[in-house]
Amino acid sequence: MERVILHVDLDAFYASVEELRRPEIRGKPVVVCVYSGRTEDSGAVATSNYLARELGIKSGMPIAFAKRAAKGKDIVFLPVDMEHYREVSERIMNLLEEHADRFQQVSIDEAYLDVSDGCTGNYPCAEKIAQEIKGEIKEQEGITCSVGIGPNKYVSKMAGKRRKPDGLTVVRAEEVADFLKDLPAGKLHGIGGKTEEELNTLGIKTAADIAAYSLTSLEKEFGKNKAKLLHDKALGIDDSPVEQKDKQQLSRIATLKEDTDDTDKIFKKISELCSDMNKKLQNKIAFRTISLITIDTHLQTQTRSETIPEADDACSVLPSYRTLIDRFFSENPGKMLRRVGIRVSGLSYKDVKDKKEQKSLFDY
Ligand code: DGT
Ligand code: CA
């Protein structure tokens, strides 16, 4: 069966999410930072939006460097809010999973979708799915993504990198060699800077150069395994499957009717979320840890967790949620909440005979 794989990567993820919830910063360069707290500017840039990238501000850069590049310009610096990004990510991943025969999340904002069952060797069919996905993410979450489509995971990833942001790039099996040939070795996913330097000293610069170099000669330089890996990267060969994995946690979040510090109203919302969570658990997934997620009127997210004896009914632990709510307000007197959520983690999957049945758990 000729496989067709999609790679989906959200554009400038943390920055896009911040722009969405803070209309006042839209249209400005935005830099999202992990502040270490040692001094005012110590820490690193997690990501920047495309306007900030034009000023040379990129992921991993020390915040102090970024501030220097930003001097005199109207740029927004924000701290990371991981809890919020995870929440958005989880909703998007659930949406993506519904479009795939097999689904593999690889990071907070990246996933592979194997659509081969419905679209065997049929690229227009896969392209239609990609368009649907882009439309749904834009409509439901207000952000863009870039999609690559190819005959395997590696080619789909490389295709997705070709056009960003909001890109869609299709590389059919017969186009792979041509698509890769002029790329510098270091741009091939999985080949690092050090290997690129070693290749360059052998006069090997591009994917085509690697492909033209005999495997035996490469083996002499790099050993058997790495030589094969380099050849595969240059030729676009990748047999690895899209691996459907069990989820590690499940959550449900909702907006309260009005901002409130009334614990009864909050508890009522939590009870509704527990019933909703049970539809997903179906008595087939047990959990060991519960968390209360609170988002206040200043958009600050906090999480409080408790480890419990294993349970499979989210409503059976409501008394523990009541305690967590009381704890939140005793530690945050005067705060008003806008949104609340629950999370269960430390999951174990019971009586799930095969992956197909497991997938149906998430299909409702
Ligand atoms: P893109 O995909 O080039 O449009 O931009 P991003 O921002 O989505 O970058 P990506 O896909 O490499 O990473 C996804 C998120 O992961 C990104 O929004 C922030 C976080 N991230 C990436 N690199 C770093 C890093 O070096 N440090 C930290 N703390 N976070 C990072
Ligand atoms: Ca991304």
mmCIF file with all atom_site columns, all heavy atoms in Angstrom, residues 9-14 34 45-47 50 53 59-60 108-109 164, ligand 1:
data_model
loop_
_atom_site.group_PDB
_atom_site.id
_atom_site.type_symbol
_atom_site.label_atom_id
_atom_site.label_alt_id
_atom_site.label_comp_id
_atom_site.label_asym_id
_atom_site.label_entity_id
_atom_site.label_seq_id
_atom_site.pdbx_PDB_ins_code
_atom_site.Cartn_x
_atom_site.Cartn_y
_atom_site.Cartn_z
_atom_site.occupancy
_atom_site.B_iso_or_equiv
_atom_site.pdbx_formal_charge
_atom_site.auth_seq_id
_atom_site.auth_comp_id
_atom_site.auth_asym_id
_atom_site.auth_atom_id
_atom_site.pdbx_PDB_model_num
ATOM   1   N N   . ASP A 1 9   ? 2.281  21.390 11.573 1.00 0.00 ? 9   ASP A N   1
ATOM   2   C CA  . ASP A 1 9   ? 3.086  22.173 12.523 1.00 0.00 ? 9   ASP A CA  1
ATOM   3   C C   . ASP A 1 9   ? 2.430  23.559 12.670 1.00 0.00 ? 9   ASP A C   1
ATOM   4   O O   . ASP A 1 9   ? 2.224  24.246 11.665 1.00 0.00 ? 9   ASP A O   1
ATOM   5   C CB  . ASP A 1 9   ? 4.508  22.294 11.959 1.00 0.00 ? 9   ASP A CB  1
ATOM   6   C CG  . ASP A 1 9   ? 5.468  22.997 12.913 1.00 0.00 ? 9   ASP A CG  1
ATOM   7   O OD1 . ASP A 1 9   ? 5.000  23.671 13.843 1.00 0.00 ? 9   ASP A OD1 1
ATOM   8   O OD2 . ASP A 1 9   ? 6.682  22.888 12.701 1.00 0.00 ? 9   ASP A OD2 1
ATOM   9   N N   . LEU A 1 10  ? 2.085  23.927 13.897 1.00 0.00 ? 10  LEU A N   1
ATOM   10  C CA  . LEU A 1 10  ? 1.434  25.219 14.125 1.00 0.00 ? 10  LEU A CA  1
ATOM   11  C C   . LEU A 1 10  ? 2.470  26.333 13.960 1.00 0.00 ? 10  LEU A C   1
ATOM   12  O O   . LEU A 1 10  ? 3.635  26.166 14.331 1.00 0.00 ? 10  LEU A O   1
ATOM   13  C CB  . LEU A 1 10  ? 0.813  25.247 15.523 1.00 0.00 ? 10  LEU A CB  1
ATOM   14  C CG  . LEU A 1 10  ? -0.135 24.062 15.803 1.00 0.00 ? 10  LEU A CG  1
ATOM   15  C CD1 . LEU A 1 10  ? -0.584 24.059 17.265 1.00 0.00 ? 10  LEU A CD1 1
ATOM   16  C CD2 . LEU A 1 10  ? -1.337 24.091 14.876 1.00 0.00 ? 10  LEU A CD2 1
ATOM   17  N N   . ASP A 1 11  ? 2.034  27.461 13.399 1.00 0.00 ? 11  ASP A N   1
ATOM   18  C CA  . ASP A 1 11  ? 2.970  28.559 13.103 1.00 0.00 ? 11  ASP A CA  1
ATOM   19  C C   . ASP A 1 11  ? 3.219  29.407 14.352 1.00 0.00 ? 11  ASP A C   1
ATOM   20  O O   . ASP A 1 11  ? 2.262  29.806 15.030 1.00 0.00 ? 11  ASP A O   1
ATOM   21  C CB  . ASP A 1 11  ? 2.398  29.439 11.992 1.00 0.00 ? 11  ASP A CB  1
ATOM   22  C CG  . ASP A 1 11  ? 2.223  28.663 10.687 1.00 0.00 ? 11  ASP A CG  1
ATOM   23  O OD1 . ASP A 1 11  ? 3.102  27.830 10.370 1.00 0.00 ? 11  ASP A OD1 1
ATOM   24  O OD2 . ASP A 1 11  ? 1.212  28.870 9.999  1.00 0.00 ? 11  ASP A OD2 1
ATOM   25  N N   . ALA A 1 12  ? 4.503  29.690 14.617 1.00 0.00 ? 12  ALA A N   1
ATOM   26  C CA  . ALA A 1 12  ? 4.916  30.547 15.747 1.00 0.00 ? 12  ALA A CA  1
ATOM   27  C C   . ALA A 1 12  ? 4.008  30.317 16.948 1.00 0.00 ? 12  ALA A C   1
ATOM   28  O O   . ALA A 1 12  ? 3.401  31.251 17.485 1.00 0.00 ? 12  ALA A O   1
ATOM   29  C CB  . ALA A 1 12  ? 4.896  32.009 15.328 1.00 0.00 ? 12  ALA A CB  1
ATOM   30  N N   . PHE A 1 13  ? 3.930  29.061 17.381 1.00 0.00 ? 13  PHE A N   1
ATOM   31  C CA  . PHE A 1 13  ? 2.811  28.626 18.212 1.00 0.00 ? 13  PHE A CA  1
ATOM   32  C C   . PHE A 1 13  ? 2.538  29.502 19.440 1.00 0.00 ? 13  PHE A C   1
ATOM   33  O O   . PHE A 1 13  ? 1.457  30.086 19.567 1.00 0.00 ? 13  PHE A O   1
ATOM   34  C CB  . PHE A 1 13  ? 3.000  27.155 18.604 1.00 0.00 ? 13  PHE A CB  1
ATOM   35  C CG  . PHE A 1 13  ? 1.886  26.623 19.459 1.00 0.00 ? 13  PHE A CG  1
ATOM   36  C CD1 . PHE A 1 13  ? 0.559  26.878 19.127 1.00 0.00 ? 13  PHE A CD1 1
ATOM   37  C CD2 . PHE A 1 13  ? 2.147  25.887 20.599 1.00 0.00 ? 13  PHE A CD2 1
ATOM   38  C CE1 . PHE A 1 13  ? -0.484 26.404 19.919 1.00 0.00 ? 13  PHE A CE1 1
ATOM   39  C CE2 . PHE A 1 13  ? 1.113  25.410 21.390 1.00 0.00 ? 13  PHE A CE2 1
ATOM   40  C CZ  . PHE A 1 13  ? -0.205 25.668 21.051 1.00 0.00 ? 13  PHE A CZ  1
ATOM   41  N N   . TYR A 1 14  ? 3.485  29.606 20.376 1.00 0.00 ? 14  TYR A N   1
ATOM   42  C CA  . TYR A 1 14  ? 3.190  30.354 21.615 1.00 0.00 ? 14  TYR A CA  1
ATOM   43  C C   . TYR A 1 14  ? 2.830  31.812 21.275 1.00 0.00 ? 14  TYR A C   1
ATOM   44  O O   . TYR A 1 14  ? 1.920  32.386 21.875 1.00 0.00 ? 14  TYR A O   1
ATOM   45  C CB  . TYR A 1 14  ? 4.386  30.387 22.572 1.00 0.00 ? 14  TYR A CB  1
ATOM   46  C CG  . TYR A 1 14  ? 4.898  29.065 23.092 1.00 0.00 ? 14  TYR A CG  1
ATOM   47  C CD1 . TYR A 1 14  ? 6.017  29.021 23.940 1.00 0.00 ? 14  TYR A CD1 1
ATOM   48  C CD2 . TYR A 1 14  ? 4.292  27.862 22.760 1.00 0.00 ? 14  TYR A CD2 1
ATOM   49  C CE1 . TYR A 1 14  ? 6.510  27.830 24.428 1.00 0.00 ? 14  TYR A CE1 1
ATOM   50  C CE2 . TYR A 1 14  ? 4.790  26.663 23.239 1.00 0.00 ? 14  TYR A CE2 1
ATOM   51  C CZ  . TYR A 1 14  ? 5.904  26.648 24.068 1.00 0.00 ? 14  TYR A CZ  1
ATOM   52  O OH  . TYR A 1 14  ? 6.402  25.484 24.536 1.00 0.00 ? 14  TYR A OH  1
ATOM   53  N N   . VAL A 1 34  ? 11.189 32.598 28.348 1.00 0.00 ? 34  VAL A N   1
ATOM   54  C CA  . VAL A 1 34  ? 11.278 31.848 29.602 1.00 0.00 ? 34  VAL A CA  1
ATOM   55  C C   . VAL A 1 34  ? 12.238 32.641 30.482 1.00 0.00 ? 34  VAL A C   1
ATOM   56  O O   . VAL A 1 34  ? 13.460 32.609 30.267 1.00 0.00 ? 34  VAL A O   1
ATOM   57  C CB  . VAL A 1 34  ? 11.842 30.426 29.368 1.00 0.00 ? 34  VAL A CB  1
ATOM   58  C CG1 . VAL A 1 34  ? 11.877 29.648 30.686 1.00 0.00 ? 34  VAL A CG1 1
ATOM   59  C CG2 . VAL A 1 34  ? 11.012 29.676 28.339 1.00 0.00 ? 34  VAL A CG2 1
ATOM   60  N N   . VAL A 1 45  ? 14.635 33.173 24.809 1.00 0.00 ? 45  VAL A N   1
ATOM   61  C CA  . VAL A 1 45  ? 13.429 33.339 23.983 1.00 0.00 ? 45  VAL A CA  1
ATOM   62  C C   . VAL A 1 45  ? 12.877 31.950 23.655 1.00 0.00 ? 45  VAL A C   1
ATOM   63  O O   . VAL A 1 45  ? 13.615 31.086 23.179 1.00 0.00 ? 45  VAL A O   1
ATOM   64  C CB  . VAL A 1 45  ? 13.780 34.084 22.676 1.00 0.00 ? 45  VAL A CB  1
ATOM   65  C CG1 . VAL A 1 45  ? 12.610 34.078 21.703 1.00 0.00 ? 45  VAL A CG1 1
ATOM   66  C CG2 . VAL A 1 45  ? 14.245 35.500 22.979 1.00 0.00 ? 45  VAL A CG2 1
ATOM   67  N N   . ALA A 1 46  ? 11.589 31.719 23.947 1.00 0.00 ? 46  ALA A N   1
ATOM   68  C CA  . ALA A 1 46  ? 10.956 30.439 23.578 1.00 0.00 ? 46  ALA A CA  1
ATOM   69  C C   . ALA A 1 46  ? 10.565 30.486 22.105 1.00 0.00 ? 46  ALA A C   1
ATOM   70  O O   . ALA A 1 46  ? 10.826 29.561 21.353 1.00 0.00 ? 46  ALA A O   1
ATOM   71  C CB  . ALA A 1 46  ? 9.735  30.167 24.442 1.00 0.00 ? 46  ALA A CB  1
ATOM   72  N N   . THR A 1 47  ? 9.919  31.570 21.716 1.00 0.00 ? 47  THR A N   1
ATOM   73  C CA  . THR A 1 47  ? 9.634  31.781 20.296 1.00 0.00 ? 47  THR A CA  1
ATOM   74  C C   . THR A 1 47  ? 9.313  33.252 20.052 1.00 0.00 ? 47  THR A C   1
ATOM   75  O O   . THR A 1 47  ? 9.124  34.021 20.998 1.00 0.00 ? 47  THR A O   1
ATOM   76  C CB  . THR A 1 47  ? 8.484  30.900 19.776 1.00 0.00 ? 47  THR A CB  1
ATOM   77  O OG1 . THR A 1 47  ? 8.544  30.869 18.340 1.00 0.00 ? 47  THR A OG1 1
ATOM   78  C CG2 . THR A 1 47  ? 7.118  31.421 20.192 1.00 0.00 ? 47  THR A CG2 1
ATOM   79  N N   . TYR A 1 50  ? 6.473  36.179 13.410 1.00 0.00 ? 50  TYR A N   1
ATOM   80  C CA  . TYR A 1 50  ? 7.272  36.374 12.190 1.00 0.00 ? 50  TYR A CA  1
ATOM   81  C C   . TYR A 1 50  ? 7.781  37.806 12.065 1.00 0.00 ? 50  TYR A C   1
ATOM   82  O O   . TYR A 1 50  ? 8.861  38.029 11.502 1.00 0.00 ? 50  TYR A O   1
ATOM   83  C CB  . TYR A 1 50  ? 6.498  35.869 10.973 1.00 0.00 ? 50  TYR A CB  1
ATOM   84  C CG  . TYR A 1 50  ? 6.552  34.344 10.880 1.00 0.00 ? 50  TYR A CG  1
ATOM   85  C CD1 . TYR A 1 50  ? 5.832  33.550 11.773 1.00 0.00 ? 50  TYR A CD1 1
ATOM   86  C CD2 . TYR A 1 50  ? 7.382  33.706 9.969  1.00 0.00 ? 50  TYR A CD2 1
ATOM   87  C CE1 . TYR A 1 50  ? 5.919  32.162 11.742 1.00 0.00 ? 50  TYR A CE1 1
ATOM   88  C CE2 . TYR A 1 50  ? 7.468  32.313 9.912  1.00 0.00 ? 50  TYR A CE2 1
ATOM   89  C CZ  . TYR A 1 50  ? 6.734  31.555 10.804 1.00 0.00 ? 50  TYR A CZ  1
ATOM   90  O OH  . TYR A 1 50  ? 6.834  30.183 10.767 1.00 0.00 ? 50  TYR A OH  1
ATOM   91  N N   . ARG A 1 53  ? 10.874 37.907 14.074 1.00 0.00 ? 53  ARG A N   1
ATOM   92  C CA  . ARG A 1 53  ? 11.943 37.146 13.404 1.00 0.00 ? 53  ARG A CA  1
ATOM   93  C C   . ARG A 1 53  ? 12.652 38.008 12.350 1.00 0.00 ? 53  ARG A C   1
ATOM   94  O O   . ARG A 1 53  ? 13.847 37.851 12.105 1.00 0.00 ? 53  ARG A O   1
ATOM   95  C CB  . ARG A 1 53  ? 11.380 35.880 12.743 1.00 0.00 ? 53  ARG A CB  1
ATOM   96  C CG  . ARG A 1 53  ? 11.005 34.838 13.776 1.00 0.00 ? 53  ARG A CG  1
ATOM   97  C CD  . ARG A 1 53  ? 10.456 33.578 13.165 1.00 0.00 ? 53  ARG A CD  1
ATOM   98  N NE  . ARG A 1 53  ? 9.641  32.889 14.174 1.00 0.00 ? 53  ARG A NE  1
ATOM   99  C CZ  . ARG A 1 53  ? 9.167  31.669 14.065 1.00 0.00 ? 53  ARG A CZ  1
ATOM   100 N NH1 . ARG A 1 53  ? 9.400  30.959 12.988 1.00 0.00 ? 53  ARG A NH1 1
ATOM   101 N NH2 . ARG A 1 53  ? 8.441  31.138 15.020 1.00 0.00 ? 53  ARG A NH2 1
ATOM   102 N N   . SER A 1 59  ? 14.029 31.663 18.555 1.00 0.00 ? 59  SER A N   1
ATOM   103 C CA  . SER A 1 59  ? 14.003 30.696 19.668 1.00 0.00 ? 59  SER A CA  1
ATOM   104 C C   . SER A 1 59  ? 15.417 30.423 20.172 1.00 0.00 ? 59  SER A C   1
ATOM   105 O O   . SER A 1 59  ? 16.336 30.274 19.363 1.00 0.00 ? 59  SER A O   1
ATOM   106 C CB  . SER A 1 59  ? 13.441 29.351 19.203 1.00 0.00 ? 59  SER A CB  1
ATOM   107 O OG  . SER A 1 59  ? 12.128 29.478 18.802 1.00 0.00 ? 59  SER A OG  1
ATOM   108 N N   . GLY A 1 60  ? 15.552 30.314 21.494 1.00 0.00 ? 60  GLY A N   1
ATOM   109 C CA  . GLY A 1 60  ? 16.829 29.928 22.085 1.00 0.00 ? 60  GLY A CA  1
ATOM   110 C C   . GLY A 1 60  ? 17.765 31.094 22.369 1.00 0.00 ? 60  GLY A C   1
ATOM   111 O O   . GLY A 1 60  ? 18.732 30.961 23.105 1.00 0.00 ? 60  GLY A O   1
ATOM   112 N N   . ILE A 1 108 ? 4.498  19.733 21.350 1.00 0.00 ? 108 ILE A N   1
ATOM   113 C CA  . ILE A 1 108 ? 3.300  20.483 21.735 1.00 0.00 ? 108 ILE A CA  1
ATOM   114 C C   . ILE A 1 108 ? 2.549  21.007 20.510 1.00 0.00 ? 108 ILE A C   1
ATOM   115 O O   . ILE A 1 108 ? 1.336  21.173 20.549 1.00 0.00 ? 108 ILE A O   1
ATOM   116 C CB  . ILE A 1 108 ? 3.681  21.627 22.709 1.00 0.00 ? 108 ILE A CB  1
ATOM   117 C CG1 . ILE A 1 108 ? 2.433  22.235 23.361 1.00 0.00 ? 108 ILE A CG1 1
ATOM   118 C CG2 . ILE A 1 108 ? 4.520  22.708 22.033 1.00 0.00 ? 108 ILE A CG2 1
ATOM   119 C CD1 . ILE A 1 108 ? 2.707  23.082 24.579 1.00 0.00 ? 108 ILE A CD1 1
ATOM   120 N N   . ASP A 1 109 ? 3.249  21.213 19.385 1.00 0.00 ? 109 ASP A N   1
ATOM   121 C CA  . ASP A 1 109 ? 2.558  21.831 18.244 1.00 0.00 ? 109 ASP A CA  1
ATOM   122 C C   . ASP A 1 109 ? 2.787  21.094 16.924 1.00 0.00 ? 109 ASP A C   1
ATOM   123 O O   . ASP A 1 109 ? 2.649  21.675 15.863 1.00 0.00 ? 109 ASP A O   1
ATOM   124 C CB  . ASP A 1 109 ? 2.970  23.306 18.118 1.00 0.00 ? 109 ASP A CB  1
ATOM   125 C CG  . ASP A 1 109 ? 4.318  23.483 17.444 1.00 0.00 ? 109 ASP A CG  1
ATOM   126 O OD1 . ASP A 1 109 ? 5.173  22.593 17.585 1.00 0.00 ? 109 ASP A OD1 1
ATOM   127 O OD2 . ASP A 1 109 ? 4.501  24.512 16.774 1.00 0.00 ? 109 ASP A OD2 1
ATOM   128 N N   . LYS A 1 164 ? 6.147  28.292 5.004  1.00 0.00 ? 164 LYS A N   1
ATOM   129 C CA  . LYS A 1 164 ? 5.686  28.682 6.334  1.00 0.00 ? 164 LYS A CA  1
ATOM   130 C C   . LYS A 1 164 ? 5.647  30.181 6.399  1.00 0.00 ? 164 LYS A C   1
ATOM   131 O O   . LYS A 1 164 ? 6.527  30.809 5.832  1.00 0.00 ? 164 LYS A O   1
ATOM   132 C CB  . LYS A 1 164 ? 6.688  28.159 7.378  1.00 0.00 ? 164 LYS A CB  1
ATOM   133 C CG  . LYS A 1 164 ? 6.165  26.983 8.165  1.00 0.00 ? 164 LYS A CG  1
ATOM   134 C CD  . LYS A 1 164 ? 7.143  26.605 9.240  1.00 0.00 ? 164 LYS A CD  1
ATOM   135 C CE  . LYS A 1 164 ? 6.498  25.858 10.361 1.00 0.00 ? 164 LYS A CE  1
ATOM   136 N NZ  . LYS A 1 164 ? 5.384  26.502 11.024 1.00 0.00 ? 164 LYS A NZ  1
HETATM 137 P P1  . DGT B 2 .   ? 7.373  27.905 13.479 1.00 0.00 ? 1   DGT B P1  1
HETATM 138 O O1  . DGT B 2 .   ? 6.942  26.468 13.620 1.00 0.00 ? 1   DGT B O1  1
HETATM 139 O O2  . DGT B 2 .   ? 8.730  28.078 12.897 1.00 0.00 ? 1   DGT B O2  1
HETATM 140 O O3  . DGT B 2 .   ? 6.349  28.762 12.798 1.00 0.00 ? 1   DGT B O3  1
HETATM 141 O O4  . DGT B 2 .   ? 7.494  28.533 14.966 1.00 0.00 ? 1   DGT B O4  1
HETATM 142 P P2  . DGT B 2 .   ? 7.197  27.874 16.369 1.00 0.00 ? 1   DGT B P2  1
HETATM 143 O O5  . DGT B 2 .   ? 7.266  28.973 17.381 1.00 0.00 ? 1   DGT B O5  1
HETATM 144 O O6  . DGT B 2 .   ? 5.904  27.111 16.360 1.00 0.00 ? 1   DGT B O6  1
HETATM 145 O O7  . DGT B 2 .   ? 8.453  26.942 16.571 1.00 0.00 ? 1   DGT B O7  1
HETATM 146 P P3  . DGT B 2 .   ? 8.566  25.361 16.794 1.00 0.00 ? 1   DGT B P3  1
HETATM 147 O O8  . DGT B 2 .   ? 7.549  24.640 15.984 1.00 0.00 ? 1   DGT B O8  1
HETATM 148 O O9  . DGT B 2 .   ? 9.992  25.013 16.587 1.00 0.00 ? 1   DGT B O9  1
HETATM 149 O O10 . DGT B 2 .   ? 8.266  25.179 18.337 1.00 0.00 ? 1   DGT B O10 1
HETATM 150 C C1  . DGT B 2 .   ? 6.947  25.128 18.875 1.00 0.00 ? 1   DGT B C1  1
HETATM 151 C C2  . DGT B 2 .   ? 6.918  25.855 20.203 1.00 0.00 ? 1   DGT B C2  1
HETATM 152 O O11 . DGT B 2 .   ? 7.875  25.259 21.082 1.00 0.00 ? 1   DGT B O11 1
HETATM 153 C C3  . DGT B 2 .   ? 7.292  27.325 20.113 1.00 0.00 ? 1   DGT B C3  1
HETATM 154 O O12 . DGT B 2 .   ? 6.168  28.170 19.849 1.00 0.00 ? 1   DGT B O12 1
HETATM 155 C C4  . DGT B 2 .   ? 7.917  27.583 21.441 1.00 0.00 ? 1   DGT B C4  1
HETATM 156 C C5  . DGT B 2 .   ? 8.529  26.255 21.849 1.00 0.00 ? 1   DGT B C5  1
HETATM 157 N N1  . DGT B 2 .   ? 9.985  26.283 21.596 1.00 0.00 ? 1   DGT B N1  1
HETATM 158 C C6  . DGT B 2 .   ? 10.642 26.107 20.428 1.00 0.00 ? 1   DGT B C6  1
HETATM 159 N N2  . DGT B 2 .   ? 11.972 26.244 20.578 1.00 0.00 ? 1   DGT B N2  1
HETATM 160 C C7  . DGT B 2 .   ? 12.164 26.526 21.894 1.00 0.00 ? 1   DGT B C7  1
HETATM 161 C C8  . DGT B 2 .   ? 13.332 26.794 22.687 1.00 0.00 ? 1   DGT B C8  1
HETATM 162 O O13 . DGT B 2 .   ? 14.480 26.816 22.199 1.00 0.00 ? 1   DGT B O13 1
HETATM 163 N N3  . DGT B 2 .   ? 13.109 27.039 24.033 1.00 0.00 ? 1   DGT B N3  1
HETATM 164 C C9  . DGT B 2 .   ? 11.847 27.011 24.589 1.00 0.00 ? 1   DGT B C9  1
HETATM 165 N N4  . DGT B 2 .   ? 11.706 27.252 25.903 1.00 0.00 ? 1   DGT B N4  1
HETATM 166 N N5  . DGT B 2 .   ? 10.747 26.789 23.861 1.00 0.00 ? 1   DGT B N5  1
HETATM 167 C C10 . DGT B 2 .   ? 10.894 26.539 22.543 1.00 0.00 ? 1   DGT B C10 1
#
